[in-house]
Amino acid sequence: MILALVLAVTALVLIIAVIAAGGAAKLARLDDASYPAALTRAAAAFTAVITLAAAVTGAFAAALK
C-alpha cells in the first residue's frame, strides 16, 4: 500500500516537473531565446521542481518523526 502511494506521488511530481519545464521552454522561446537557451531554462525549471519536492519531503519526514 505504501509503495503504491510512493510510486504514485513520484510519478505525479515527475509529471509536474516536466510540465513546468515545458512551460519554461515555451516562455523562453516566446521571448526570442535560442533553442539552447530555452533548453537551459527548461532544465533549470525541472531541477527546481525536483529540488522543491525533495525539500518538502524532507520537511514532512522530519515533522512526522
Side-chain angles (χ1 to χ4, degrees):
M1 178 73 175
I2 298 295
L3 179 62
L5 180 64
V6 168
L7 290 176
V9 170
T10 302
L12 182 63
V13 167
L14 287 175
I15 289 170
I16 291 171
V18 168
I19 290 171
K26 180 64 177 174
L27 288 174
R29 286 296 296 154
L30 288 175
D31 197 30
D32 292 328
S34 64
Y35 282 107
L39 186 59
T40 301
R41 292 184 192 177
F46 183 84
T47 304
V49 172
I50 296 299
T51 303
L52 180 63
V56 169
T57 301
F60 280 151
L64 294 177
K65 259 190 170 178

